[in-house]
Amino acid sequence: MTIDTETQVSAGELFCDPALWADMDTWHREVAALRREHGVVPVADLPGFSPFWVLTRHADVIAVSRDDTRWRTTPRAVIRPDADAHRIVDAGIPPPSSLVHLHGPDHRDHRAVTSDWFRPAAVAARQPRIDDIADLFVQRMRDLGGSCDFACDIAQPYALRVIMDVYGVPEHDEPLMLELTRGIFGSADPEFVGDATDPAARMLDSAARFAAYFDDLTADRQAHPRDDLATVIANGQVDGCPMDDRHRFWYFVIVATAGHDTTAYALSGGLEAMLRDPAQLRALRDDPALVANAADECIRWTSPVRHFLRHATEDTEVGGVAVPEGGRVLLSYPSANRDEEVFADASTFDVRRPDADKLVSFGAGAHFCLGVHVARRELRTMLARLGRHLDHIELAGEPSWAQSHFVSGVKHLPVTYRFR
Ligand code: HEM
């Protein structure tokens, strides 16, 4: 079926205009219509953007993610206006080269540097640390005396503390890490951008400060190795040689950025869904064994990573639509996670959902999220505590969503609550 220009442009805006991610009910309603009617949506005429195709269906997102012969990642992993990409090149910033940007053997060899560290058993060994951090934030909730902004006061700093603990970054440097990681991967939300008017300049400045910080950390961990991820990256070898500065820098960036906003949004958005339907939190309290499924449902429902791009290595097709060599497709994880062909009653949040494990929030194939076990444990640990300790919780105002088309979710969640 052909799609007229007007439909293509408004479809393109749904995926590229940060402001439209602040109203997720409308977003999901409009994208559901595209998914049912078209599946693969060509976007050829969106002003400021070279053409791309949006994959809205679960089967297409999985098929492309798993096929790294016909599809590849490149330094352009996220959709941005062409002018932004040109300005970053003109500013002399070297192409990003983190795991999500690398392809083939280069990707495999760099991923191997930390993959043992992220295996289930290795992450399980850190559970006592995650428990301690979760206890600390439940205590913080108690100390706040019955009302807080759960997203800002609890979810965000909890997720940041877990990932920085994994790294071995001291607590007093966490605000700096938050500022710099957001500066590099660039949230478009006006609340997070602050007074920065030039995203390329902000990125350059953040990258320089971040590099200086991690150069010091690298020197320290090379001289004094510890049981932390910074030590693994600082001493990482590829092909028998130490990782070069650029790859090491981007390694630090990807784990730091991927590791906190994502899980924080899964937690705040999951709680928001449970507050809309209090039976969900009651179910969790009555049956603590539900916690693993509930964590997956929070991650399916919120889908905090909004997309990644893949580029065709040859003339090919996806979902019956031809894509020429070099053509790029946008993998829409939030849309795939509401695909009615895969999830029964897909637009209902349900901690008992039997098909929650079909979630595609973590991607698939060679780039499947490296931090999946950290993310799941982090969510389960906090949800178990909320189910166990909360006697009552309700909304105390309107929640709001971050305006970003890359990583986003509930950024404010005012609640009042009572503990048992
Ligand atoms: C709910 C939380 C999270 C979500 C939704 C999420 C989602 C994703 C997605 C969609 C990808 C790309 C997959 C693909 O291209 O097929 C990815 C990659 C990655 N994630 Fe996560 N992530 C989460 C948490 C984490 C955490 C906690 C860490 C680190 C501790 C982490 C580290 C990474 C890394 C290093 C990659 C790159 C892997 C590669 O390209 O080989 N993520 N994640």
Side-chain angles (χ1 to χ4, degrees):
M1 189 195 301
T2 53
I3 307 182
D4 61 67
T5 304
E6 197 183 326
T7 310
Q8 284 191 33
V9 168
S10 55
E13 283 167 349
L14 277 172
F15 296 92
C16 299
D17 181 349
L20 299 185
W21 292 86
D23 176 1
M24 287 309 289
D25 286 342
T26 305
W27 190 92
H28 275 298
R29 204 171 44 247
E30 294 184 7
V31 172
L34 293 171
R35 188 171 56 240
R36 276 192 292 268
E37 285 164 34
H38 305 288
V40 179
V41 185
V43 179
D45 297 305
L46 185 65
F49 290 81
S50 310
F52 59 98
W53 286 257
V54 179
L55 309 189
T56 60
R57 291 187 181 148
H58 192 278
D60 294 335
V61 169
I62 298 271
V64 167
S65 302
R66 288 192 179 148
D67 180 353
D68 49 7
T69 304
R70 287 187 299 165
W71 300 96
R72 60 164 299 161
T73 49
T74 75
R76 291 183 75 169
V78 174
I79 194 104
R80 296 190 194 288
D82 297 339
D84 277 12
H86 295 149
R87 280 169 68 206
I88 288 173
V89 172
D90 293 347
I93 302 176
S97 46
S98 80
L99 291 183
V100 296
H101 305 102
L102 301 178
H103 177 70
D106 205 17
H107 168 257
R108 185 199 57 212
D109 294 348
H110 282 88
R111 185 166 163 124
V113 169
T114 56
S115 54
D116 277 351
W117 205 92
F118 281 107
R119 281 190 210 294
V123 176
R126 301 198 76 84
Q127 184 63 45
R129 293 290 306 150
I130 303 177
D131 284 336
D132 287 349
I133 298 171
D135 286 341
L136 204 83
F137 281 92
V138 170
Q139 185 57 45
R140 179 178 291 185
M141 243 178 122
R142 288 184 190 278
D143 295 343
L144 286 166
S147 71
C148 73
D149 177 342
F150 183 83
C152 288
D153 296 333
I154 306 298
Q156 189 58 251
Y158 166 61
L160 186 64
R161 179 75 50 90
V162 172
I163 191 65
M164 291 304 150
D165 187 70
V166 158
Y167 255 137
V169 166
E171 199 181 317
H172 57 81
D173 288 338
E174 287 173 8
L176 177 69
M177 288 294 107
L178 189 61
E179 183 197 333
L180 298 186
T181 52
R182 281 187 171 157
I184 289 175
F185 256 131
S187 170
D189 191 289
E191 187 178 332
F192 302 142
V193 171
D195 57 7
T197 48
D198 182 345
R202 178 173 183 249
M203 182 180 167
L204 200 59
D205 174 63
S206 302
R209 291 162 65 207
F210 200 91
Y213 186 91
F214 277 110
D215 280 352
D216 289 349
L217 195 65
T218 298
D220 180 71
R221 295 305 196 272
Q222 285 171 346
H224 314 286
R226 289 196 210 166
D227 173 25
D228 60 26
L229 190 60
T231 299
V232 177
I233 298 177
N235 296 286
Q237 302 230 333
V238 171
D239 276 344
C241 300
M243 235 190 315
D244 63 52
D245 289 353
R246 186 159 65 97
H247 284 91
R248 197 177 52 239
F249 164 75
W250 279 103
Y251 223 122
F252 278 123
V253 172
I254 187 65
V255 179
T257 47
H260 60 84
D261 276 349
T262 48
T263 34
Y265 286 135
L267 189 56
S268 58
L271 183 62
E272 193 267 347
M274 292 192 233
L275 293 171
R276 289 200 212 187
D277 176 8
Q280 299 291 324
L281 207 53
R282 273 201 302 278
L284 199 58
R285 188 172 55 202
D286 295 346
D287 182 2
L290 274 179
V291 79
N293 208 61
D296 273 6
E297 178 62 345
C298 290
I299 300 168
R300 177 193 79 94
W301 183 255
T302 54
S303 243
V305 176
R306 305 316 201 171
H307 75 275
F308 272 115
L309 296 176
R310 293 289 191 275
H311 301 250
T313 58
E314 57 187 64
D315 290 351
T316 183
E317 65 84 32
V318 53
V321 174
V323 178
E325 181 181 350
R328 51 200 191 145
V329 293
L330 181 153
L331 313 178
S332 178
Y333 305 117
S335 174
N337 273 327
R338 301 282 175 103
D339 190 336
E340 300 80 356
E341 295 288 319
V342 175
F343 300 99
D345 213 358
S347 296
T348 301
F349 178 92
D350 181 5
V351 291
R352 297 178 192 277
R353 164 177 296 287
D355 48 21
D357 62 347
K358 295 200 174 88
L359 81 176
V360 69
S361 315
F362 294 114
H367 290 271
F368 182 68
C369 177
L370 194 55
V372 59
H373 303 297
V374 177
R376 282 190 160 132
R377 278 185 182 274
E378 212 176 308
L379 260 281
R380 291 173 189 173
T381 307
M382 184 52 90
L383 287 177
R385 279 161 178 72
L386 295 179
R388 199 183 317 143
H389 297 303
L390 280 173
D391 184 36
H392 177 77
I393 181 163
E394 62 183 44
L395 277 174
E398 277 302 303
S400 60
W401 273 257
Q403 297 182 31
S404 169
H405 72 305
F406 175 40
V407 174
S408 58
V410 172
K411 65 172 180 171
H412 293 297
L413 187 64
V415 289
T416 53
Y417 50 87
R418 257 190 337 265
F419 279 103
R420 286 174 220 240

